[in-house]
Amino acid sequence: MTRTPGVKAAGFTLLSQPSTEMLEEACRLRPKAWRARSRDFPDIDIWRDAFDDCSDHWVVVHFARVVAAGRLTIRDRIEDLPNPELYAGFDLPDAGRVGSINRLIVDADFAGQGLSRMIDEARIAHADAQGVRVLLATPFAGQRRVTALEKLGFRELGDARAYADGPLTFLNRAASPAGGG
């Protein structure tokens, strides 16, 4: 676990590469945070996937409690990132390291305090330090989240494709056109 230098405000501390226990707490926060935004999120207690064991993580701790978290996965090919189906059809470079910032969550009790930006800035800096040429994000939190990412240098490529599997497949139904299945 590494304390990120200079990132501590109002009782919040950003930690990179959290302990196993803190990562587990973040994985339990994922369904809780999503259910606060959508009743359609599956009724699960913990959300872990195979990329959790081979990605970089950041957590924001408030008085020893994980209140926000985010993940960065870096690979040599887009096809090896989490949910590569989301990027199908986009004109993306196929040479060099690629990254995906994903699994960003903030406990609803702590929303609006800049925790997402704190995590995003740390993930972007780490991706830059690792030589990532293309950094992808697939925000589902609405225009406010898209605008926040644009302020950090991201540009919108278009609408992401549907999830092939996992807890976020419920978003596919919400995004289906009228009359679609």
Side-chain angles (χ1 to χ4, degrees):
M1 171 172 54
T2 306
R3 188 177 302 264
T4 303
V7 183
K8 186 174 181 178
F12 296 105
T13 304
L14 177 65
L15 302 172
S16 63
Q17 307 317 319
S19 67
T20 302
E21 293 79 18
M22 284 186 177
L23 180 56
E24 204 64 22
E25 192 176 345
C27 291
R28 290 186 186 287
L29 180 58
R30 288 174 183 167
K32 177 185 173 193
W34 269 96
R35 271 195 299 276
R37 292 188 11 217
S38 175
R39 285 178 272 151
D40 293 329
F41 190 85
D43 187 21
I44 56 176
D45 293 327
I46 189 165
W47 180 10
R48 278 186 72 79
D49 63 38
F51 288 94
D52 283 322
D53 294 330
C54 57
S55 297
D56 297 303
H57 297 268
W58 287 260
V59 297
V60 176
V61 178
H62 183 69
F63 298 110
R65 177 178 159 209
V66 173
V67 297
R71 179 173 82 185
L72 166 65
T73 305
I74 300 173
R75 297 289 182 269
D76 291 323
R77 300 174 337 133
I78 291 171
E79 295 81 13
D80 296 330
L81 292 173
N83 306 105
E85 68 276 7
L86 298 176
Y87 313 114
F90 292 119
D91 185 25
L92 298 169
D94 58 0
R97 299 192 84 191
V98 295
S100 168
I101 61 171
N102 50 67
R103 300 300 182 262
L104 177 67
I105 43 108
V106 176
D107 187 308
D109 294 338
F110 295 89
Q113 299 191 46
L115 304 183
S116 294
R117 184 177 182 101
M118 186 186 299
I119 292 170
D120 285 341
E121 288 174 346
R123 294 187 296 177
I124 292 166
H126 186 73
D128 286 344
Q130 297 299 311
V132 170
R133 280 194 58 204
V134 176
L135 186 58
L136 300 166
T138 312
F140 289 102
Q143 187 58 44
R144 184 174 173 195
R145 179 72 179 134
V146 171
T147 300
L149 287 168
E150 288 174 342
K151 287 179 181 177
L152 292 170
F154 284 80
R155 65 181 173 85
E156 191 169 351
L157 299 175
D159 292 333
R161 306 310 182 253
Y163 278 94
D165 58 29
L168 293 181
T169 55
F170 81 91
L171 292 169
N172 300 345
R173 290 189 309 273
S176 293

